[in-house]
Amino acid sequence: PLYLPEQLQIAKELGCEIIPVLIHPDKSLVKQFGALQYVDMAHGLTVDNVTLLLNSILRAERRLNSAKKHPKSRRLNHHRRLYNQEISSAKQSML
């Protein structure tokens, strides 16, 4: 648990997909995840959490395959998201 922030940073720098899986019911770990979503298996395997994990892996694989085929589109999508967030923020501040 002490190395979680460093591990996340290394994974991001390497361009790795991150799929956090909680296997111990430890609130301090959940806090370290911050805004990251995670698969909670701390209370055992269930159909729901295994499905969530497998779907997360499938989405990550699709993103990686898409990025390999269209490296520029991934960057463009990121910039589009940032732009849309800025527009949303501006609209909210106008209300």
Side-chain angles (χ1 to χ4, degrees), residues 1-90:
L2 299 176
Y3 301 105
L4 184 61
E6 291 86 1
Q7 292 169 342
L8 289 173
Q9 184 61 36
I10 291 168
K12 287 178 185 178
E13 289 172 3
L14 294 174
C16 296
E17 290 286 331
I18 301 167
I19 304 171
V21 178
L22 184 67
I23 57 173
H24 295 287
D26 184 343
K27 300 267 187 217
S28 66
L29 286 175
V30 173
K31 289 178 186 176
Q32 287 188 45
F33 285 148
L36 283 177
Q37 293 182 338
Y38 59 93
V39 180
D40 188 352
M41 294 190 170
H43 303 290
L45 298 175
T46 65
V47 171
D48 289 340
N49 62 24
V50 170
T51 300
L52 179 59
L53 179 59
L54 292 176
N55 285 336
S56 298
I57 292 169
L58 180 62
R59 282 192 301 274
E61 182 181 36
R62 286 181 180 163
R63 280 191 300 269
L64 288 173
N65 288 335
S66 176
K68 287 178 186 176
K69 291 178 187 174
H70 310 287
K72 289 185 180 179
S73 68
R74 187 174 186 191
R75 231 180 4 253
L76 287 173
N77 287 336
H78 173 71
H79 290 294
R80 273 192 205 110
R81 278 194 303 273
L82 291 176
Y83 173 77
N84 289 334
Q85 288 172 352
E86 288 177 20
I87 295 296
S88 292
S89 294

